Amino acid sequence: MLELLQRIFRRDSYKTSKDVAHERLRLVLMHDRLDLSPKVLDELRTDLMNVIKEYMVIDEKSMEINLEKDQNCVALVANIPVIRMKRLPNS
Amino acid sequence: MGEVFVITSGKGGVGKTTTTANIGTALAMLGYRVVLVDADIGLRNLDVVMGLENRIVYDLVDVAHGRCRLRQALIRDRRFETLYLLPAAQTKDKNAINPEQMKALCEEIKKECDYLLVDCPAGIEQGFRNAVAGADRAIVVTTPEVAAVRDADRIIGLLEASEIRNPLLIINRIRPKMVRTGDMLDVDDVIEHLAIELLGIVPDDESIIVSTNKGEPAVLNPHSKAGEAYRNISRRITGEDVPLMNLENGEGFMDRVRRLLGLRTS
């Protein structure tokens, strides 16, 4: 009953159980799919490195890439020491 | 040469066996030669849903181990002469059959039918690997619930790893009324999460329980909504373009009042 009243009077802010399910699924699937194999992570690292190397000289050995998860979000965190910038032809 | 479909879901109790029985029966109604294989070794179910439990002599494991010929183990349906069932074994031995044997069996059967449907057990272990071993395509069954969709997502990943591309999705047990009031994930929500092609939607329907009680698949009942949904799905499998079923049964009085008062967003 309370729910019904909430629904009627606060229609805009009230979250239906479907909305809650949708949001929970989004997070759960994101976490599940994060289970990247070391091989995929390695490929990602190589691809990233190749792109960055076009612009700067980086310390490839101490480069770190990780997926960090917490309750509400997931971030790809990369720590890539730059040794020097390349001189770009049009800058 | 027939096509092998595995019907799978990850989570138990979402309607794999019901789906297998109904699609198989509906395809046979259309005149196709269909073989249903119950791959749930140890937990035989499909025979009961099909109403064929009294006629089992040999089973899947007997055929795989050469204890009988395939023809001896196949049970012909009483209603349709192009519909056959290969029942699961009741053995407790998990390793009674392996993926290579299953694959060989599927190859043998599909030479002589148009559609071979494999009813996959729940879970992602040996039984799953057996069931998908000989499959050309997969049908993933889910319900509009968080746990079922999550497991379906895992299964889709595993199917990809088994090189079964482009699985098809069936969303089962939809309750239009709950969708309308915002208390059930709708079809678009589920597709958004799983991102695979939709084969069909099936409403939650009490007639399924009645049909399981009797051992008569719901597609045989012209008044069953779920039966109609499965008949549509079967026609889509054969390549026909059939629009999605309208699940709205007309709105009730209170729904109309609420809509007129603007108390519903949908």
Side-chain angles (χ1 to χ4, degrees), chain A residues 3-4 7-8 11 16-19 21-22 24-26 28-29 32-33 35, chain B residues 146 149-150 153-154 181-186 189 192-194 262-263 265:
Chain A
E3 245 180 80
L4 184 70
R7 251 180 228 188
I8 292 171
R11 249 187 317 145
T16 60
S17 71
K18 171 205 123 128
D19 297 331
H22 195 60
R24 289 177 64 215
L25 249 179
R26 191 182 66 78
V28 146
L29 291 188
D32 287 357
R33 288 176 190 171
D35 212 3
Chain B
V146 178
V149 176
R150 178 193 203 175
D153 188 69
R154 288 274 285 152
T181 56
D183 279 320
M184 181 174 268
L185 290 165
D186 61 32
D189 293 330
E192 183 189 323
H193 287 299
L194 295 179
L263 296 180
T265 41

PDB file of all heavy atoms in Angstrom, chain A residues 3-4 7-8 11 16-19 21-22 24-26 28-29 32-33 35, chain B residues 146 149-150 153-154 181-186 189 192-194 262-263 265:
ATOM      1  N   GLU A   3       3.789   1.467  -1.013  1.00  0.00           N
ATOM      2  CA  GLU A   3       4.428   1.561  -2.316  1.00  0.00           C
ATOM      3  C   GLU A   3       3.514   2.211  -3.347  1.00  0.00           C
ATOM      4  O   GLU A   3       3.940   3.032  -4.143  1.00  0.00           O
ATOM      5  CB  GLU A   3       4.777   0.161  -2.804  1.00  0.00           C
ATOM      6  CG  GLU A   3       6.262  -0.072  -2.924  1.00  0.00           C
ATOM      7  CD  GLU A   3       6.545  -1.472  -3.413  1.00  0.00           C
ATOM      8  OE1 GLU A   3       6.430  -1.689  -4.620  1.00  0.00           O
ATOM      9  OE2 GLU A   3       6.847  -2.338  -2.577  1.00  0.00           O
ATOM     10  N   LEU A   4       2.248   1.809  -3.262  1.00  0.00           N
ATOM     11  CA  LEU A   4       1.277   2.349  -4.206  1.00  0.00           C
ATOM     12  C   LEU A   4       1.165   3.856  -4.043  1.00  0.00           C
ATOM     13  O   LEU A   4       1.191   4.615  -5.011  1.00  0.00           O
ATOM     14  CB  LEU A   4      -0.087   1.683  -3.973  1.00  0.00           C
ATOM     15  CG  LEU A   4      -1.158   2.093  -4.977  1.00  0.00           C
ATOM     16  CD1 LEU A   4      -0.836   1.498  -6.352  1.00  0.00           C
ATOM     17  CD2 LEU A   4      -2.531   1.649  -4.513  1.00  0.00           C
ATOM     18  N   ARG A   7       4.091   5.538  -5.374  1.00  0.00           N
ATOM     19  CA  ARG A   7       4.037   5.536  -6.817  1.00  0.00           C
ATOM     20  C   ARG A   7       3.155   6.671  -7.319  1.00  0.00           C
ATOM     21  O   ARG A   7       3.459   7.332  -8.294  1.00  0.00           O
ATOM     22  CB  ARG A   7       3.450   4.223  -7.303  1.00  0.00           C
ATOM     23  CG  ARG A   7       4.504   3.395  -7.948  1.00  0.00           C
ATOM     24  CD  ARG A   7       3.890   2.143  -8.400  1.00  0.00           C
ATOM     25  NE  ARG A   7       4.732   1.064  -7.967  1.00  0.00           N
ATOM     26  CZ  ARG A   7       4.572  -0.186  -8.331  1.00  0.00           C
ATOM     27  NH1 ARG A   7       3.571  -0.510  -9.104  1.00  0.00           N
ATOM     28  NH2 ARG A   7       5.380  -1.107  -7.925  1.00  0.00           N
ATOM     29  N   ILE A   8       2.034   6.844  -6.640  1.00  0.00           N
ATOM     30  CA  ILE A   8       1.087   7.840  -7.096  1.00  0.00           C
ATOM     31  C   ILE A   8       1.608   9.254  -6.850  1.00  0.00           C
ATOM     32  O   ILE A   8       1.544  10.114  -7.722  1.00  0.00           O
ATOM     33  CB  ILE A   8      -0.277   7.634  -6.395  1.00  0.00           C
ATOM     34  CG1 ILE A   8      -0.889   6.323  -6.896  1.00  0.00           C
ATOM     35  CG2 ILE A   8      -1.227   8.792  -6.691  1.00  0.00           C
ATOM     36  CD1 ILE A   8      -2.117   5.890  -6.149  1.00  0.00           C
ATOM     37  N   ARG A  11       5.789  10.100  -8.510  1.00  0.00           N
ATOM     38  CA  ARG A  11       6.012   9.300  -9.693  1.00  0.00           C
ATOM     39  C   ARG A  11       7.384   9.499 -10.321  1.00  0.00           C
ATOM     40  O   ARG A  11       7.978   8.581 -10.833  1.00  0.00           O
ATOM     41  CB  ARG A  11       4.939   9.612 -10.731  1.00  0.00           C
ATOM     42  CG  ARG A  11       4.008   8.457 -10.938  1.00  0.00           C
ATOM     43  CD  ARG A  11       3.092   8.746 -12.081  1.00  0.00           C
ATOM     44  NE  ARG A  11       2.594  10.110 -12.043  1.00  0.00           N
ATOM     45  CZ  ARG A  11       2.368  10.822 -13.125  1.00  0.00           C
ATOM     46  NH1 ARG A  11       2.631  10.336 -14.300  1.00  0.00           N
ATOM     47  NH2 ARG A  11       1.888  12.046 -13.024  1.00  0.00           N
ATOM     48  N   THR A  16      10.846   2.024  -9.711  1.00  0.00           N
ATOM     49  CA  THR A  16      10.108   0.760  -9.698  1.00  0.00           C
ATOM     50  C   THR A  16      11.103  -0.379  -9.464  1.00  0.00           C
ATOM     51  O   THR A  16      12.304  -0.211  -9.636  1.00  0.00           O
ATOM     52  CB  THR A  16       9.408   0.520 -11.046  1.00  0.00           C
ATOM     53  OG1 THR A  16      10.409   0.485 -12.059  1.00  0.00           O
ATOM     54  CG2 THR A  16       8.410   1.606 -11.352  1.00  0.00           C
ATOM     55  N   SER A  17      10.573  -1.541  -9.097  1.00  0.00           N
ATOM     56  CA  SER A  17      11.477  -2.673  -8.842  1.00  0.00           C
ATOM     57  C   SER A  17      12.175  -3.085 -10.128  1.00  0.00           C
ATOM     58  O   SER A  17      13.271  -3.610 -10.113  1.00  0.00           O
ATOM     59  CB  SER A  17      10.714  -3.842  -8.220  1.00  0.00           C
ATOM     60  OG  SER A  17       9.872  -4.446  -9.171  1.00  0.00           O
ATOM     61  N   LYS A  18      11.537  -2.809 -11.252  1.00  0.00           N
ATOM     62  CA  LYS A  18      12.174  -3.077 -12.530  1.00  0.00           C
ATOM     63  C   LYS A  18      13.419  -2.209 -12.721  1.00  0.00           C
ATOM     64  O   LYS A  18      14.460  -2.700 -13.175  1.00  0.00           O
ATOM     65  CB  LYS A  18      11.192  -2.806 -13.661  1.00  0.00           C
ATOM     66  CG  LYS A  18      11.809  -2.835 -15.029  1.00  0.00           C
ATOM     67  CD  LYS A  18      11.011  -2.017 -15.993  1.00  0.00           C
ATOM     68  CE  LYS A  18      11.883  -0.964 -16.622  1.00  0.00           C
ATOM     69  NZ  LYS A  18      11.785  -1.020 -18.087  1.00  0.00           N
ATOM     70  N   ASP A  19      13.304  -0.936 -12.339  1.00  0.00           N
ATOM     71  CA  ASP A  19      14.473  -0.053 -12.457  1.00  0.00           C
ATOM     72  C   ASP A  19      15.621  -0.563 -11.601  1.00  0.00           C
ATOM     73  O   ASP A  19      16.785  -0.522 -11.990  1.00  0.00           O
ATOM     74  CB  ASP A  19      14.110   1.374 -12.031  1.00  0.00           C
ATOM     75  CG  ASP A  19      13.056   1.982 -12.927  1.00  0.00           C
ATOM     76  OD1 ASP A  19      13.003   1.593 -14.109  1.00  0.00           O
ATOM     77  OD2 ASP A  19      12.272   2.828 -12.441  1.00  0.00           O
ATOM     78  N   ALA A  21      16.103  -3.678 -10.668  1.00  0.00           N
ATOM     79  CA  ALA A  21      16.632  -4.901 -11.284  1.00  0.00           C
ATOM     80  C   ALA A  21      17.562  -4.557 -12.448  1.00  0.00           C
ATOM     81  O   ALA A  21      18.636  -5.140 -12.602  1.00  0.00           O
ATOM     82  CB  ALA A  21      15.480  -5.775 -11.791  1.00  0.00           C
ATOM     83  N   HIS A  22      17.154  -3.579 -13.236  1.00  0.00           N
ATOM     84  CA  HIS A  22      17.919  -3.160 -14.403  1.00  0.00           C
ATOM     85  C   HIS A  22      19.311  -2.671 -13.982  1.00  0.00           C
ATOM     86  O   HIS A  22      20.326  -3.072 -14.547  1.00  0.00           O
ATOM     87  CB  HIS A  22      17.149  -2.036 -15.095  1.00  0.00           C
ATOM     88  CG  HIS A  22      17.614  -1.739 -16.482  1.00  0.00           C
ATOM     89  ND1 HIS A  22      17.603  -2.669 -17.490  1.00  0.00           N
ATOM     90  CD2 HIS A  22      18.122  -0.604 -17.022  1.00  0.00           C
ATOM     91  CE1 HIS A  22      18.078  -2.117 -18.595  1.00  0.00           C
ATOM     92  NE2 HIS A  22      18.404  -0.872 -18.332  1.00  0.00           N
ATOM     93  N   ARG A  24      20.856  -3.255 -11.096  1.00  0.00           N
ATOM     94  CA  ARG A  24      21.651  -4.327 -10.478  1.00  0.00           C
ATOM     95  C   ARG A  24      22.251  -5.228 -11.554  1.00  0.00           C
ATOM     96  O   ARG A  24      23.396  -5.642 -11.462  1.00  0.00           O
ATOM     97  CB  ARG A  24      20.766  -5.149  -9.535  1.00  0.00           C
ATOM     98  CG  ARG A  24      20.402  -4.380  -8.276  1.00  0.00           C
ATOM     99  CD  ARG A  24      19.468  -5.189  -7.404  1.00  0.00           C
ATOM    100  NE  ARG A  24      20.099  -6.402  -6.909  1.00  0.00           N
ATOM    101  CZ  ARG A  24      19.458  -7.553  -6.737  1.00  0.00           C
ATOM    102  NH1 ARG A  24      18.180  -7.652  -7.024  1.00  0.00           N
ATOM    103  NH2 ARG A  24      20.089  -8.586  -6.278  1.00  0.00           N
ATOM    104  N   LEU A  25      21.447  -5.504 -12.579  1.00  0.00           N
ATOM    105  CA  LEU A  25      21.956  -6.340 -13.664  1.00  0.00           C
ATOM    106  C   LEU A  25      23.127  -5.684 -14.378  1.00  0.00           C
ATOM    107  O   LEU A  25      24.114  -6.334 -14.704  1.00  0.00           O
ATOM    108  CB  LEU A  25      20.846  -6.557 -14.685  1.00  0.00           C
ATOM    109  CG  LEU A  25      20.274  -7.954 -14.808  1.00  0.00           C
ATOM    110  CD1 LEU A  25      19.172  -7.961 -15.839  1.00  0.00           C
ATOM    111  CD2 LEU A  25      21.339  -8.967 -15.176  1.00  0.00           C
ATOM    112  N   ARG A  26      22.992  -4.379 -14.570  1.00  0.00           N
ATOM    113  CA  ARG A  26      24.060  -3.660 -15.272  1.00  0.00           C
ATOM    114  C   ARG A  26      25.393  -3.848 -14.526  1.00  0.00           C
ATOM    115  O   ARG A  26      26.413  -4.183 -15.126  1.00  0.00           O
ATOM    116  CB  ARG A  26      23.712  -2.170 -15.361  1.00  0.00           C
ATOM    117  CG  ARG A  26      24.606  -1.380 -16.295  1.00  0.00           C
ATOM    118  CD  ARG A  26      24.228   0.097 -16.288  1.00  0.00           C
ATOM    119  NE  ARG A  26      24.466   0.752 -15.010  1.00  0.00           N
ATOM    120  CZ  ARG A  26      25.662   1.153 -14.580  1.00  0.00           C
ATOM    121  NH1 ARG A  26      26.720   0.973 -15.333  1.00  0.00           N
ATOM    122  NH2 ARG A  26      25.803   1.722 -13.398  1.00  0.00           N
ATOM    123  N   VAL A  28      26.139  -6.144 -12.150  1.00  0.00           N
ATOM    124  CA  VAL A  28      26.530  -7.549 -12.024  1.00  0.00           C
ATOM    125  C   VAL A  28      27.176  -8.047 -13.321  1.00  0.00           C
ATOM    126  O   VAL A  28      28.219  -8.702 -13.309  1.00  0.00           O
ATOM    127  CB  VAL A  28      25.279  -8.379 -11.660  1.00  0.00           C
ATOM    128  CG1 VAL A  28      25.328  -9.750 -12.270  1.00  0.00           C
ATOM    129  CG2 VAL A  28      25.133  -8.490 -10.158  1.00  0.00           C
ATOM    130  N   LEU A  29      26.582  -7.674 -14.444  1.00  0.00           N
ATOM    131  CA  LEU A  29      27.133  -8.142 -15.726  1.00  0.00           C
ATOM    132  C   LEU A  29      28.484  -7.505 -16.000  1.00  0.00           C
ATOM    133  O   LEU A  29      29.376  -8.130 -16.549  1.00  0.00           O
ATOM    134  CB  LEU A  29      26.160  -7.850 -16.876  1.00  0.00           C
ATOM    135  CG  LEU A  29      24.869  -8.657 -16.870  1.00  0.00           C
ATOM    136  CD1 LEU A  29      24.089  -8.413 -18.145  1.00  0.00           C
ATOM    137  CD2 LEU A  29      25.149 -10.142 -16.722  1.00  0.00           C
ATOM    138  N   ASP A  32      30.901  -9.419 -13.928  1.00  0.00           N
ATOM    139  CA  ASP A  32      31.101 -10.772 -14.474  1.00  0.00           C
ATOM    140  C   ASP A  32      31.970 -10.741 -15.729  1.00  0.00           C
ATOM    141  O   ASP A  32      32.860 -11.562 -15.906  1.00  0.00           O
ATOM    142  CB  ASP A  32      29.756 -11.413 -14.848  1.00  0.00           C
ATOM    143  CG  ASP A  32      28.964 -11.822 -13.622  1.00  0.00           C
ATOM    144  OD1 ASP A  32      29.483 -11.654 -12.508  1.00  0.00           O
ATOM    145  OD2 ASP A  32      27.825 -12.298 -13.788  1.00  0.00           O
ATOM    146  N   ARG A  33      31.684  -9.763 -16.577  1.00  0.00           N
ATOM    147  CA  ARG A  33      32.396  -9.743 -17.861  1.00  0.00           C
ATOM    148  C   ARG A  33      33.819  -9.238 -17.704  1.00  0.00           C
ATOM    149  O   ARG A  33      34.630  -9.367 -18.607  1.00  0.00           O
ATOM    150  CB  ARG A  33      31.652  -8.853 -18.856  1.00  0.00           C
ATOM    151  CG  ARG A  33      30.363  -9.478 -19.340  1.00  0.00           C
ATOM    152  CD  ARG A  33      29.610  -8.542 -20.249  1.00  0.00           C
ATOM    153  NE  ARG A  33      28.274  -9.009 -20.537  1.00  0.00           N
ATOM    154  CZ  ARG A  33      27.372  -8.269 -21.161  1.00  0.00           C
ATOM    155  NH1 ARG A  33      27.655  -7.048 -21.552  1.00  0.00           N
ATOM    156  NH2 ARG A  33      26.165  -8.765 -21.385  1.00  0.00           N
ATOM    157  N   ASP A  35      35.972 -10.425 -15.998  1.00  0.00           N
ATOM    158  CA  ASP A  35      36.854 -11.539 -15.767  1.00  0.00           C
ATOM    159  C   ASP A  35      37.696 -11.774 -17.018  1.00  0.00           C
ATOM    160  O   ASP A  35      37.595 -12.799 -17.661  1.00  0.00           O
ATOM    161  CB  ASP A  35      35.973 -12.759 -15.476  1.00  0.00           C
ATOM    162  CG  ASP A  35      36.672 -13.675 -14.510  1.00  0.00           C
ATOM    163  OD1 ASP A  35      37.778 -13.294 -14.078  1.00  0.00           O
ATOM    164  OD2 ASP A  35      36.120 -14.733 -14.217  1.00  0.00           O
TER     165      ASP A  35
ATOM    166  N   VAL B 146      16.860 -11.072 -12.585  1.00  0.00           N
ATOM    167  CA  VAL B 146      18.280 -10.742 -12.535  1.00  0.00           C
ATOM    168  C   VAL B 146      19.146 -12.009 -12.614  1.00  0.00           C
ATOM    169  O   VAL B 146      20.071 -12.098 -13.421  1.00  0.00           O
ATOM    170  CB  VAL B 146      18.607  -9.943 -11.258  1.00  0.00           C
ATOM    171  CG1 VAL B 146      20.094  -9.642 -11.183  1.00  0.00           C
ATOM    172  CG2 VAL B 146      17.822  -8.638 -11.240  1.00  0.00           C
ATOM    173  N   VAL B 149      19.026 -13.781 -16.099  1.00  0.00           N
ATOM    174  CA  VAL B 149      19.706 -13.019 -17.151  1.00  0.00           C
ATOM    175  C   VAL B 149      21.215 -13.085 -16.952  1.00  0.00           C
ATOM    176  O   VAL B 149      21.987 -13.229 -17.894  1.00  0.00           O
ATOM    177  CB  VAL B 149      19.219 -11.552 -17.178  1.00  0.00           C
ATOM    178  CG1 VAL B 149      19.996 -10.741 -18.202  1.00  0.00           C
ATOM    179  CG2 VAL B 149      17.729 -11.494 -17.498  1.00  0.00           C
ATOM    180  N   ARG B 150      21.631 -13.022 -15.699  1.00  0.00           N
ATOM    181  CA  ARG B 150      23.058 -13.112 -15.414  1.00  0.00           C
ATOM    182  C   ARG B 150      23.624 -14.452 -15.884  1.00  0.00           C
ATOM    183  O   ARG B 150      24.668 -14.517 -16.534  1.00  0.00           O
ATOM    184  CB  ARG B 150      23.275 -12.972 -13.912  1.00  0.00           C
ATOM    185  CG  ARG B 150      24.724 -13.092 -13.550  1.00  0.00           C
ATOM    186  CD  ARG B 150      24.905 -13.274 -12.081  1.00  0.00           C
ATOM    187  NE  ARG B 150      26.255 -12.831 -11.728  1.00  0.00           N
ATOM    188  CZ  ARG B 150      26.701 -12.770 -10.493  1.00  0.00           C
ATOM    189  NH1 ARG B 150      25.920 -13.080  -9.492  1.00  0.00           N
ATOM    190  NH2 ARG B 150      27.929 -12.380 -10.251  1.00  0.00           N
ATOM    191  N   ASP B 153      23.946 -14.681 -19.551  1.00  0.00           N
ATOM    192  CA  ASP B 153      25.113 -13.950 -20.035  1.00  0.00           C
ATOM    193  C   ASP B 153      26.373 -14.813 -19.961  1.00  0.00           C
ATOM    194  O   ASP B 153      27.196 -14.817 -20.875  1.00  0.00           O
ATOM    195  CB  ASP B 153      25.290 -12.667 -19.218  1.00  0.00           C
ATOM    196  CG  ASP B 153      26.361 -11.776 -19.814  1.00  0.00           C
ATOM    197  OD1 ASP B 153      26.125 -11.227 -20.903  1.00  0.00           O
ATOM    198  OD2 ASP B 153      27.448 -11.656 -19.218  1.00  0.00           O
ATOM    199  N   ARG B 154      26.501 -15.549 -18.865  1.00  0.00           N
ATOM    200  CA  ARG B 154      27.648 -16.456 -18.724  1.00  0.00           C
ATOM    201  C   ARG B 154      27.626 -17.525 -19.820  1.00  0.00           C
ATOM    202  O   ARG B 154      28.640 -17.847 -20.425  1.00  0.00           O
ATOM    203  CB  ARG B 154      27.582 -17.169 -17.357  1.00  0.00           C
ATOM    204  CG  ARG B 154      27.903 -16.272 -16.198  1.00  0.00           C
ATOM    205  CD  ARG B 154      29.384 -16.196 -15.948  1.00  0.00           C
ATOM    206  NE  ARG B 154      29.904 -17.395 -15.302  1.00  0.00           N
ATOM    207  CZ  ARG B 154      31.150 -17.822 -15.442  1.00  0.00           C
ATOM    208  NH1 ARG B 154      31.970 -17.173 -16.223  1.00  0.00           N
ATOM    209  NH2 ARG B 154      31.560 -18.892 -14.813  1.00  0.00           N
ATOM    210  N   THR B 181       3.280  -2.430 -14.802  1.00  0.00           N
ATOM    211  CA  THR B 181       3.363  -1.679 -13.541  1.00  0.00           C
ATOM    212  C   THR B 181       4.805  -1.419 -13.128  1.00  0.00           C
ATOM    213  O   THR B 181       5.059  -0.894 -12.053  1.00  0.00           O
ATOM    214  CB  THR B 181       2.648  -2.439 -12.404  1.00  0.00           C
ATOM    215  OG1 THR B 181       3.220  -3.743 -12.314  1.00  0.00           O
ATOM    216  CG2 THR B 181       1.159  -2.544 -12.643  1.00  0.00           C
ATOM    217  N   GLY B 182       5.742  -1.807 -13.975  1.00  0.00           N
ATOM    218  CA  GLY B 182       7.134  -1.528 -13.660  1.00  0.00           C
ATOM    219  C   GLY B 182       7.731  -2.496 -12.660  1.00  0.00           C
ATOM    220  O   GLY B 182       8.716  -2.192 -11.999  1.00  0.00           O
ATOM    221  N   ASP B 183       7.146  -3.670 -12.527  1.00  0.00           N
ATOM    222  CA  ASP B 183       7.681  -4.641 -11.590  1.00  0.00           C
ATOM    223  C   ASP B 183       8.323  -5.850 -12.265  1.00  0.00           C
ATOM    224  O   ASP B 183       8.613  -6.848 -11.616  1.00  0.00           O
ATOM    225  CB  ASP B 183       6.589  -5.120 -10.628  1.00  0.00           C
ATOM    226  CG  ASP B 183       6.385  -4.110  -9.516  1.00  0.00           C
ATOM    227  OD1 ASP B 183       7.401  -3.573  -9.035  1.00  0.00           O
ATOM    228  OD2 ASP B 183       5.233  -3.838  -9.151  1.00  0.00           O
ATOM    229  N   MET B 184       8.541  -5.741 -13.566  1.00  0.00           N
ATOM    230  CA  MET B 184       9.262  -6.822 -14.248  1.00  0.00           C
ATOM    231  C   MET B 184      10.079  -6.237 -15.379  1.00  0.00           C
ATOM    232  O   MET B 184       9.622  -5.325 -16.072  1.00  0.00           O
ATOM    233  CB  MET B 184       8.271  -7.861 -14.790  1.00  0.00           C
ATOM    234  CG  MET B 184       8.945  -9.026 -15.482  1.00  0.00           C
ATOM    235  SD  MET B 184       7.797 -10.328 -15.952  1.00  0.00           S
ATOM    236  CE  MET B 184       7.859 -11.390 -14.517  1.00  0.00           C
ATOM    237  N   LEU B 185      11.296  -6.755 -15.538  1.00  0.00           N
ATOM    238  CA  LEU B 185      12.134  -6.323 -16.651  1.00  0.00           C
ATOM    239  C   LEU B 185      11.371  -6.564 -17.948  1.00  0.00           C
ATOM    240  O   LEU B 185      10.707  -7.585 -18.087  1.00  0.00           O
ATOM    241  CB  LEU B 185      13.418  -7.150 -16.675  1.00  0.00           C
ATOM    242  CG  LEU B 185      14.414  -6.904 -15.545  1.00  0.00           C
ATOM    243  CD1 LEU B 185      15.443  -8.025 -15.503  1.00  0.00           C
ATOM    244  CD2 LEU B 185      15.097  -5.556 -15.695  1.00  0.00           C
ATOM    245  N   ASP B 186      11.446  -5.625 -18.872  1.00  0.00           N
ATOM    246  CA  ASP B 186      10.744  -5.875 -20.129  1.00  0.00           C
ATOM    247  C   ASP B 186      11.702  -6.436 -21.182  1.00  0.00           C
ATOM    248  O   ASP B 186      12.899  -6.571 -20.940  1.00  0.00           O
ATOM    249  CB  ASP B 186       9.998  -4.628 -20.609  1.00  0.00           C
ATOM    250  CG  ASP B 186      10.919  -3.458 -20.881  1.00  0.00           C
ATOM    251  OD1 ASP B 186      12.068  -3.705 -21.284  1.00  0.00           O
ATOM    252  OD2 ASP B 186      10.501  -2.306 -20.681  1.00  0.00           O
ATOM    253  N   ASP B 189      14.769  -4.385 -22.025  1.00  0.00           N
ATOM    254  CA  ASP B 189      15.795  -4.400 -20.970  1.00  0.00           C
ATOM    255  C   ASP B 189      16.694  -5.624 -21.122  1.00  0.00           C
ATOM    256  O   ASP B 189      17.922  -5.531 -21.090  1.00  0.00           O
ATOM    257  CB  ASP B 189      15.153  -4.496 -19.563  1.00  0.00           C
ATOM    258  CG  ASP B 189      14.378  -3.247 -19.203  1.00  0.00           C
ATOM    259  OD1 ASP B 189      14.763  -2.168 -19.686  1.00  0.00           O
ATOM    260  OD2 ASP B 189      13.395  -3.353 -18.452  1.00  0.00           O
ATOM    261  N   GLU B 192      18.869  -5.486 -24.142  1.00  0.00           N
ATOM    262  CA  GLU B 192      19.934  -4.497 -23.957  1.00  0.00           C
ATOM    263  C   GLU B 192      21.112  -5.124 -23.204  1.00  0.00           C
ATOM    264  O   GLU B 192      22.270  -4.915 -23.555  1.00  0.00           O
ATOM    265  CB  GLU B 192      19.376  -3.297 -23.189  1.00  0.00           C
ATOM    266  CG  GLU B 192      20.385  -2.177 -23.016  1.00  0.00           C
ATOM    267  CD  GLU B 192      19.868  -1.106 -22.053  1.00  0.00           C
ATOM    268  OE1 GLU B 192      18.656  -0.822 -22.067  1.00  0.00           O
ATOM    269  OE2 GLU B 192      20.692  -0.580 -21.280  1.00  0.00           O
ATOM    270  N   HIS B 193      20.815  -5.906 -22.189  1.00  0.00           N
ATOM    271  CA  HIS B 193      21.885  -6.519 -21.405  1.00  0.00           C
ATOM    272  C   HIS B 193      22.584  -7.638 -22.160  1.00  0.00           C
ATOM    273  O   HIS B 193      23.799  -7.735 -22.139  1.00  0.00           O
ATOM    274  CB  HIS B 193      21.330  -7.074 -20.088  1.00  0.00           C
ATOM    275  CG  HIS B 193      20.986  -5.999 -19.095  1.00  0.00           C
ATOM    276  ND1 HIS B 193      21.942  -5.137 -18.614  1.00  0.00           N
ATOM    277  CD2 HIS B 193      19.823  -5.656 -18.519  1.00  0.00           C
ATOM    278  CE1 HIS B 193      21.366  -4.289 -17.774  1.00  0.00           C
ATOM    279  NE2 HIS B 193      20.072  -4.587 -17.692  1.00  0.00           N
ATOM    280  N   LEU B 194      21.818  -8.490 -22.804  1.00  0.00           N
ATOM    281  CA  LEU B 194      22.425  -9.694 -23.381  1.00  0.00           C
ATOM    282  C   LEU B 194      22.951  -9.480 -24.796  1.00  0.00           C
ATOM    283  O   LEU B 194      23.846 -10.198 -25.242  1.00  0.00           O
ATOM    284  CB  LEU B 194      21.418 -10.853 -23.362  1.00  0.00           C
ATOM    285  CG  LEU B 194      21.031 -11.317 -21.950  1.00  0.00           C
ATOM    286  CD1 LEU B 194      20.008 -12.440 -22.029  1.00  0.00           C
ATOM    287  CD2 LEU B 194      22.261 -11.788 -21.179  1.00  0.00           C
ATOM    288  N   GLY B 262      -3.822   9.317 -15.561  1.00  0.00           N
ATOM    289  CA  GLY B 262      -2.423   9.651 -15.819  1.00  0.00           C
ATOM    290  C   GLY B 262      -1.488   9.120 -14.757  1.00  0.00           C
ATOM    291  O   GLY B 262      -0.449   9.696 -14.468  1.00  0.00           O
ATOM    292  N   LEU B 263      -1.855   8.017 -14.134  1.00  0.00           N
ATOM    293  CA  LEU B 263      -1.019   7.497 -13.050  1.00  0.00           C
ATOM    294  C   LEU B 263      -0.035   6.447 -13.543  1.00  0.00           C
ATOM    295  O   LEU B 263       0.660   5.846 -12.763  1.00  0.00           O
ATOM    296  CB  LEU B 263      -1.891   6.892 -11.951  1.00  0.00           C
ATOM    297  CG  LEU B 263      -2.792   7.901 -11.252  1.00  0.00           C
ATOM    298  CD1 LEU B 263      -3.622   7.220 -10.189  1.00  0.00           C
ATOM    299  CD2 LEU B 263      -1.967   9.022 -10.647  1.00  0.00           C
ATOM    300  N   THR B 265       3.016   5.633 -16.394  1.00  0.00           N
ATOM    301  CA  THR B 265       3.897   6.278 -17.359  1.00  0.00           C
ATOM    302  C   THR B 265       3.898   5.525 -18.684  1.00  0.00           C
ATOM    303  O   THR B 265       4.176   6.085 -19.719  1.00  0.00           O
ATOM    304  CB  THR B 265       5.338   6.357 -16.821  1.00  0.00           C
ATOM    305  OG1 THR B 265       5.628   5.128 -16.180  1.00  0.00           O
ATOM    306  CG2 THR B 265       5.473   7.507 -15.863  1.00  0.00           C
TER     307      THR B 265
END
